[in-house]
Amino acid sequence: MDGPRWTLLDATLERVTFANEETGYTVARVDPGRGGELVTVVGSLLGAQPGEFLRMRGRWGSHPQHGRQFQVEDYTTVLPATVQGIRRYLGSGLIKGVGPRLAENIVEHFGAEALDVIDTEPARLIEVPKLGPKRVKAITAAWDEQRAIKEVMVFLQSVGVSTSLAVKIYKKYQDGSVDVVRREPYRLANDVWGIGFRTADTIAQAVGIPHDAPERIKAGLQYCLSESTSDGHCYLPEQRLLTDAAKILEVELAGVIDALGALVAEDGVVREELPGEDPAQPVPAYYLVPFHRAEVSLANQLQRLLDADTDRLGAFATVDWDAARRWLRGRTGADLAPAQDEAVRLALTRKVAVLTGGPGCGKSFTVRSIVEMATAKRAKVLLAAPTGRAAKRLTELTGHPAATVHRLLELRPGGDAAYDRDRPLDADLVVVDEASMLDLLLANKLARAVAPGAHLLLVGDVDQLPSVGAGQVLRDLLADDTPVPHVRLTQVFRQAAQSGVVTNAHRINAGTFPQVTGLPDFFLFACDEAEDAANLTVDVVANRIPRRFGLDPRTDVQVLTPMHRGHAGAGTLNGLLQDALTPAGPGVPERRFGGRVFRVGDKVSQIRNNYDKGTAGVFNGTLGVVTALDLVEQTLTVRTDEGETIPYDFAELDELTHAYALTIHRSQGSEYPAVVIPVTMSAWMMLQRNLLYTAVTRAKKLVVLVGSRKAIGRAVHTATAGRRHTGLAHRLHTSPPRRDTPNLPAAPH
């Protein structure tokens, strides 16, 4: 509305009490400088940070529960003019390197001119006692960056960009930020972490890009394909892509068809005919370029390995297997079961092979046996797994060092690997555990790095959830008529059969309701409502399990939930568990970022690959604990599960999320002493057999289900929903026939 109903309120932002990351709606407390009286403000504060001095336009209102509050329509950031305001502004931690004590010294020396001095004569800061040249330089650089960002924000704020995103845009484009946002807003979705198509689209509309502009429709089509890769698809069939894009973009189908044709002509996407359900009716399939390249490359690399004329484990072509088994029994103290014996021979005589099977079926013992026999022949063996926890477990069971696949390949900024076809790994045998987690892009990088004649063994449980990233590599390799040989272990060994966790995992996988009474390691706490299940889950984690089993609720117990949203979703549960295990308190430093608050002791997870962090990158899914939080230097430190200490600037905190509760998808490849799984009908769309099976198989000692029998029954009886759209199995089928290496014994398929 117009005129006199609007009111201006100048105040210092003291703290944010609530922030919705999606809508930007914020509840905050501000100090208008009236003797310490704080005022509640609500509205979109667009990422404003505590300590900033805000000039807010809005109106006063009253909330029935929370009383008088100021409803913000828009705001600008201004510099305070009073000595008290300057002192608080400088001491708020807003400027990196300046805390309350140093702010006090600066203001005591320069008074009301302090900000002018920093802005126009920063060299004079050396006059402040105990402020050396190094700190002066750091403060000057931080101030210059803040000032440049503020200037860019004048424009970005007018088109709905939050402060946190503005910082990222500025760091990416520097002085070109405004020009890129105004002329090429859809570039932001590809170039800037944290900005997707929807945010870029909002900005585009604000700068006047027409609703039916070809560049908007092309960006929308690429967004649909990108979103589909998040759901595991490598491509989308034409009809689905067109329908999804027209719906999302709210434009006529004809415009979408034209834009798709233009994208193909520009090599923005790849079109290829692939077999459909009816082999006589091929389906037009559309890929994003990197995924098409990776799929074609992976099929070719696997065929290259299978067809290699040399064999770096050639000694096993003529080995006396009876003598080898006797020797192995002397080393391990146990005989191989027939299927395990087949798997050992397969890994050592065929250049690409797959070993699959459920819990308790002896995959680990089989892998140990393979490594023992290979190293006895002085073969160079490299072991890897997709996650740090899985690599650590592989090291423990084989006694041979294992690394994550990322570290094995030495992935570098940009995602390129130090090891590839031109510089292969120096190994005769490469073994990758938890291979169900390998997505298309990572599997391609791995296959490219295996030397000709070397052997590649992929080990995993194909009945678990497929990879978080696009593809279903393990499942595709096990498809009928592929040239990749495999063994599936099915026998549950006696010791494992005594475990309720193992027994119930197999019951679930067979479509049978788990046994939830009379077992020492598998329990159900029954309740029907999602909110009740959430509260009960927190009680189980924080009180009941520690009291009965002596397990640490932060390091030994992991909550795994089907969904992120909802009362029993990971988002809500992380807040409840943080309050229970790492609560706020007087003198406890914390940092709010978006809707999250970080404190020392928090369990956290990395949610993107960052090749620039740590000694060799920090990767999506890496878990750790916050060990330090410096409000002056604006850094937070995480100690990862792999034992590395990683610093994060506050501007990078969108790369971290709390990990007291994880979605089941994000838990893949990890094992925990105990898992607690809330299963309620509020997650009914996600309740599938392989989801519950994956969650249960993450536990080493204890599983506690919290929720309703009806929801568990639905999960158990719902076979996996439709397969992912992938072309790998087809490409392997259609590759030239494999030439068998001479003199190798027949191997099982």
Side-chain angles (χ1 to χ4, degrees):
M1 292 187 182
D2 305 319
R5 296 189 63 182
W6 290 122
T7 302
L8 290 178
L9 174 65
D10 290 349
T12 302
L13 179 58
E14 288 289 319
R15 64 179 180 271
V16 176
T17 57
F18 171 80
N20 184 307
E21 293 180 76
E22 295 182 2
T23 66
Y25 179 80
T26 305
V27 179
R29 299 281 280 170
V30 302
D31 182 0
R34 301 169 188 160
E37 175 194 355
L38 297 184
V39 171
T40 299
V41 297
V42 298
S44 180
L45 291 181
L46 295 171
Q49 298 296 325
E52 288 186 309
F53 195 78
L54 310 179
R55 175 159 292 158
M56 295 165 283
R57 185 172 69 101
R59 62 170 68 87
W60 290 99
S62 182
H63 188 278
Q65 282 184 293
H66 305 297
R68 191 167 185 255
Q69 51 189 218
F70 190 76
Q71 297 171 347
V72 180
E73 179 68 18
D74 55 46
Y75 80 95
T76 56
T77 304
V78 296
L79 295 177
T82 66
V83 169
Q84 180 184 2
I86 293 169
R87 182 184 294 114
R88 297 187 64 187
Y89 179 81
L90 287 177
S92 66
L94 189 67
I95 301 170
K96 193 171 184 177
V98 179
R101 185 173 299 176
L102 183 53
E104 184 72 38
N105 292 345
I106 292 172
V107 174
E108 185 175 324
H109 188 83
F110 294 114
E113 297 179 358
L115 295 183
D116 286 335
V117 169
I118 297 173
D119 195 39
T120 60
E121 301 178 273
R124 288 188 59 197
L125 287 171
I126 199 70
E127 300 173 15
V128 178
K130 300 181 180 179
L131 193 57
K134 186 176 179 181
R135 181 62 68 87
V136 168
K137 186 177 179 181
I139 293 171
T140 303
W143 179 267
D144 286 344
E145 183 176 58
Q146 283 287 335
R147 179 173 54 191
I149 291 169
K150 294 300 180 190
E151 290 170 356
V152 172
M153 271 299 296
V154 172
F155 171 73
L156 295 182
Q157 194 171 300
S158 70
V159 295
V161 179
S162 70
T163 301
S164 57
L165 290 183
V167 171
K168 291 176 180 260
I169 291 170
Y170 178 78
K171 287 185 175 179
K172 177 67 180 177
Y173 304 117
Q174 298 290 313
D175 294 339
S177 299
V178 172
D179 195 54
V180 169
V181 170
R182 181 180 284 126
R183 300 178 186 277
E184 302 176 89
Y186 293 106
R187 274 184 63 187
L188 301 174
N190 294 323
D191 293 352
V192 182
W193 164 254
I195 296 182
F197 169 78
R198 294 189 183 278
T199 301
D201 197 36
T202 300
I203 295 169
Q205 291 180 46
V207 298
I209 303 291
H211 190 70
D212 58 354
E215 62 262 43
R216 177 175 185 265
I217 300 176
K218 290 177 190 176
L221 283 161
Q222 291 179 313
Y223 167 71
C224 288
L225 288 172
S226 179
E227 284 292 283
S228 76
T229 65
S230 300
D231 293 331
H233 302 300
C234 298
Y235 70 84
L236 282 182
E238 182 176 73
Q239 193 56 51
R240 177 171 168 184
L241 175 58
L242 292 173
T243 303
D244 288 356
K247 183 178 179 181
I248 289 169
L249 295 167
E250 298 179 333
V251 295
E252 294 295 326
L253 187 60
V256 180
I257 293 171
D258 290 344
L260 183 56
L263 263 181
V264 172
E266 298 164 4
D267 295 327
V269 299
V270 177
R271 182 187 189 276
E272 183 178 357
E273 301 270 333
L274 292 178
E277 292 183 10
D278 179 358
Q281 294 289 326
V283 174
Y286 290 85
Y287 288 80
L288 290 175
V289 173
F291 293 90
H292 184 264
R293 285 179 179 164
E295 195 174 84
V296 172
S297 172
L298 177 56
N300 289 340
Q301 299 311 318
L302 291 171
Q303 200 67 58
R304 171 182 67 89
L305 295 174
L306 287 164
D307 289 348
D309 293 325
T310 58
D311 188 350
R312 296 178 64 157
L313 292 180
F316 288 99
T318 56
V319 78
D320 181 340
W321 287 101
D322 289 334
R325 278 191 291 270
R326 289 193 297 272
W327 175 87
L328 188 62
R329 177 183 172 82
R331 295 281 295 177
T332 63
D335 283 321
L336 291 167
Q340 291 177 311
D341 182 54
E342 289 181 3
V344 171
R345 294 182 64 170
L346 190 75
L348 298 173
T349 60
R350 300 290 277 270
K351 293 169 194 152
V352 181
V354 174
L355 170 62
T356 188
C361 292
K363 291 196 304 297
S364 297
F365 180 69
T366 306
V367 170
R368 179 187 167 194
S369 300
I370 291 166
V371 172
E372 289 276 5
M373 292 189 70
T375 52
K377 293 288 188 182
R378 298 188 178 179
K380 295 178 180 178
V381 179
L382 290 178
L383 305 180
T387 68
R389 282 176 177 248
K392 183 178 179 181
R393 189 171 69 246
L394 190 57
T395 299
E396 292 167 353
L397 75 90
T398 62
H400 198 86
T404 64
V405 178
H406 294 86
R407 294 190 189 282
L408 179 74
L409 301 178
E410 294 182 13
L411 293 188
R412 299 176 295 199
D416 292 330
Y419 292 95
D420 56 19
R421 283 197 66 172
D422 296 328
R423 186 196 177 201
L425 294 164
D426 183 17
D428 305 313
L429 171 64
V430 178
V431 180
V432 181
D433 198 10
E434 295 287 356
S436 63
M437 288 186 66
L438 285 177
D439 62 30
L440 173 66
L441 300 181
L442 187 58
N444 177 49
K445 290 182 173 69
L446 172 69
R448 288 177 60 86
V450 179
H455 289 218
L456 172 63
L457 174 65
L458 301 177
V459 183
D461 185 348
V462 75
D463 294 319
Q464 289 182 17
L465 291 169
S467 57
V468 174
Q472 50 183 23
V473 173
L474 190 65
R475 185 168 293 155
D476 284 345
L477 295 184
L478 293 172
D480 291 339
D481 300 325
T482 69
V484 180
H486 72 269
V487 168
R488 181 165 189 147
L489 305 179
T490 57
Q491 176 188 348
V492 179
F493 289 91
R494 184 179 305 163
Q495 184 176 353
Q498 297 171 356
S499 160
V501 175
V502 171
T503 300
N504 276 330
H506 285 278
R507 286 174 67 93
I508 291 166
N509 201 32
T512 304
F513 199 94
Q515 180 183 342
V516 294
T517 57
L519 294 173
D521 60 352
F522 203 103
F523 301 89
L524 167 63
F525 286 85
C527 61
D528 290 329
E529 298 301 321
E531 193 167 358
D532 295 338
N535 292 327
L536 185 51
T537 295
V538 174
D539 185 38
V540 167
V541 172
N543 302 309
R544 300 191 190 202
I545 288 178
R547 193 163 55 234
R548 178 162 176 179
F549 296 97
L551 297 175
D552 186 300
R554 274 190 290 193
T555 59
D556 298 332
V557 185
Q558 183 63 56
V559 176
L560 303 179
T561 177
M563 298 179 68
H564 182 77
R565 300 177 186 276
H567 288 299
T572 299
L573 284 168
N574 270 315
L576 295 173
L577 287 162
Q578 184 190 39
D579 288 344
L581 300 175
T582 317
V588 176
E590 60 180 41
R591 176 66 177 185
R592 180 176 292 277
F593 192 97
R596 297 189 286 273
V597 177
F598 293 97
R599 303 185 187 113
V600 172
D602 274 340
K603 191 174 182 177
V604 294
S605 174
Q606 175 82 8
I607 58 174
R608 66 169 292 218
N609 290 342
N610 188 329
Y611 302 96
D612 297 317
K613 283 206 161 295
T615 55
V618 182
F619 301 100
N620 187 3
T622 299
L623 295 177
V625 174
V626 178
T627 56
L629 203 160
D630 190 325
L631 297 177
V632 174
E633 295 300 326
Q634 298 181 34
T635 58
L636 176 149
T637 305
V638 173
R639 177 82 170 172
T640 72
D641 273 356
E642 297 173 41
E644 190 170 10
T645 299
I646 307 291
Y648 290 79
D649 287 337
F650 284 170
E652 298 174 310
L653 293 185
D654 59 348
E655 296 187 16
L656 293 176
T657 188
H658 292 104
Y660 299 99
L662 297 173
T663 62
I664 296 167
H665 276 88
R666 289 192 66 81
S667 74
Q668 289 171 258
S670 295
E671 262 191 353
Y672 314 94
V675 299
V676 180
I677 312 167
V679 188
T680 68
M681 288 305 292
S682 65
W684 69 273
M685 288 187 66
M686 296 291 293
L687 296 178
Q688 296 169 7
R689 186 180 303 162
N690 65 351
L691 191 83
L692 184 58
Y693 173 75
T694 300
V696 168
T697 56
R698 299 306 87 210
K700 289 192 282 189
K701 299 178 181 177
L702 175 68
V703 170
V704 180
L705 302 178
V706 180
S708 72
R709 288 178 175 272
K710 181 179 179 182
I712 296 167
R714 177 183 170 84
V716 168
H717 296 124
T718 303
T720 307
R723 291 290 175 92
R724 296 178 169 189
H725 293 301
T726 70
L728 179 60
H730 163 70
R731 296 183 197 285
L732 289 168
H733 291 168
T734 56
S735 295
R738 183 180 66 82
R739 299 196 311 273
D740 281 324
T741 303
N743 302 322
L744 293 187
H749 183 82

